[in-house]
């Protein structure tokens, strides 16, 4: 089954989490039932500088069933090169980070800083498509830079115009960070504005959050971040499995 087919269905995606999505933890989440696993965000410039720590981020475990690598870059040439590298390393898909809110990265024009430039996003995604070849390209976004610049629909359409095969929408702006509840109605507005599959992300902390959020946004697939860090067995619970997390059960 293709990656896009997976993301078009009721997939449970483990989010790309900086300092949290390392290879052993991804394997744990997959063992509990994650449909898709994703690398920590890797900065293309650091990969071009051959930094070993950055290359470790994009390493795939032999048993990862559906694995995507998330890249951060700000120029077409960088991202074209990065997508080609990721493809050569055996990933199933490559993702462009437009959602990372961390100051260290936004000050460098990476992550959610790019949300303010939809026209540029189209060019970045198109370059990634060139480098990726037949490998799917996805994009992860937020609702906008801040409440006055909620331009997620424009960003989503720009990504689609650039050739993105699927999109993940985190239901907050960059300035909101994680202080307010995720807006799943806004995620639904984005999903209705594009023709490609949309994965919803934000505040999936308990199994019951999944169906509620899916119903609000009208999207089948969800991405789980903090919920997976708190308890990786949320994927098993989402599948209706009972998990004994007591000391005796371990």
């Amino acid at each position: 089954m293709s990656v896009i087919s997976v993301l078009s269905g009721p997939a449970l995606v483990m989010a790309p989490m900086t300092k949290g999505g390392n290879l052993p933890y991804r394997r744990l989440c997959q063992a509990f039932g994650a449909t898709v696993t994703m690398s920590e965000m890797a900065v293309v410039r650091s990969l071009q500088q051959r930094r070993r720590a950055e290359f470790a981020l994009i390493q795939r475990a032999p048993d990862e069933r559906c694995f995507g690598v998330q890249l951060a870059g700000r120029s077409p040439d960088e991202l074209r090169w990065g997508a080609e590298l990721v493809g050569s390393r055996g990933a199933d898909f490559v993702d462009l980070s437009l959602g990372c809110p961390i100051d260290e990265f936004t000050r460098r024009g990476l992550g959610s800083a790019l949300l303010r430039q939809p026209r540029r996003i189209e060019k970045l995604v198109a370059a990634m498509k060139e480098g990726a070849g037949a490998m799917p390209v996805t994009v992860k976004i937020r609702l906008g830079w801040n409440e006055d610049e909620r331009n997620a629909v424009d960003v989503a359409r720009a990504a689609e115009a650039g050739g993105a095969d699927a999109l993940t929408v985190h239901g907050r702006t960059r300035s909101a960070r994680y202080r307010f509840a995720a807006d799943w109605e806004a995620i639904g507005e984005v999903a209705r504005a594009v023709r490609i599959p949309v994965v919803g992300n934000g505040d999936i902390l308990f199994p019951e959050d999944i169906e509620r959020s899916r119903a609000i946004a009208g999207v089948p697939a969800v991405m789980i971040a903090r919920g997976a860090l708190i308890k990786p067995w949320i994927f098993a619970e989402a599948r209706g499995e009972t998990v004994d997390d007591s000391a005796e059960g371990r």
Side-chain angles (χ1 to χ4, degrees):
M1 183 179 293
S2 71
V3 173
I4 303 309
S5 296
V6 170
L7 296 179
S8 298
L12 301 173
V13 184
M14 177 190 171
M17 295 177 287
T18 301
K19 307 299 184 185
N22 57 57
L23 188 152
Y25 204 78
R26 296 197 311 267
R27 295 185 72 183
L28 177 64
C29 288
Q30 178 176 269
F32 277 120
T35 315
V36 178
T37 50
M38 295 189 67
S39 75
E40 299 180 50
M41 185 181 75
V43 178
V44 178
R45 184 64 60 86
S46 297
L47 292 170
Q48 289 177 323
Q49 294 169 347
R50 302 293 172 180
R51 296 184 182 178
R52 294 180 64 183
E54 211 71 17
F55 270 84
L57 301 181
I58 68 174
Q59 181 180 350
R60 178 182 193 157
D63 60 350
E64 281 187 273
R65 293 186 295 268
C66 186
F67 173 59
V69 169
Q70 186 180 72
L71 297 178
R74 61 184 184 183
S75 81
D77 289 343
E78 279 182 355
L79 290 167
R80 185 183 297 106
W81 181 92
E84 186 174 357
L85 172 70
V86 167
S88 72
R89 293 286 176 130
D92 292 303
F93 66 100
V94 61
D95 183 78
L96 173 60
S97 173
L98 300 180
C100 178
I102 300 172
D103 292 341
E104 176 188 349
F105 298 109
T106 58
R107 281 196 296 264
R108 295 157 59 186
L110 302 171
S112 56
L114 290 164
L115 293 173
R116 310 175 94 171
Q117 305 174 62
R119 291 183 181 178
R120 185 176 179 184
I121 288 168
E122 181 177 344
K123 295 177 181 177
L124 296 178
V125 175
M128 289 184 74
K129 287 291 289 184
E130 291 176 10
M135 181 177 61
V137 172
T138 64
V139 181
K140 187 170 189 286
I141 72 172
R142 282 182 174 243
L143 297 181
W145 179 255
N146 55 38
E147 288 301 314
D148 294 327
E149 299 180 58
R150 284 176 60 133
N151 63 343
V153 168
D154 291 339
V155 170
R157 286 174 172 163
E160 183 179 39
D165 297 289
L167 190 73
T168 298
V169 183
H170 183 119
R172 296 182 179 87
T173 64
R174 185 267 178 181
S175 63
R177 300 294 180 100
Y178 303 96
R179 292 193 298 271
F180 307 108
D183 186 345
W184 280 81
E185 291 184 358
I187 294 173
E189 291 174 10
V190 176
R192 292 188 293 273
V194 296
R195 297 180 298 276
I196 57 178
V198 170
V199 179
N201 174 222
D203 292 343
I204 303 293
L205 302 176
F206 302 98
E208 55 268 28
D209 295 330
I210 295 173
E211 289 309 316
R212 175 184 57 80
S213 300
R214 281 172 170 164
I216 292 171
V219 297
V222 297
M223 178 177 282
I224 306 176
R226 289 174 298 154
L229 285 178
I230 295 168
K231 53 175 187 178
W233 55 89
I234 188 173
F235 297 104
E237 292 178 340
R239 292 151 58 98
E241 300 174 11
T242 300
V243 178
D244 183 357
D245 61 346
S246 66
E248 292 79 8
R250 300 191 189 105

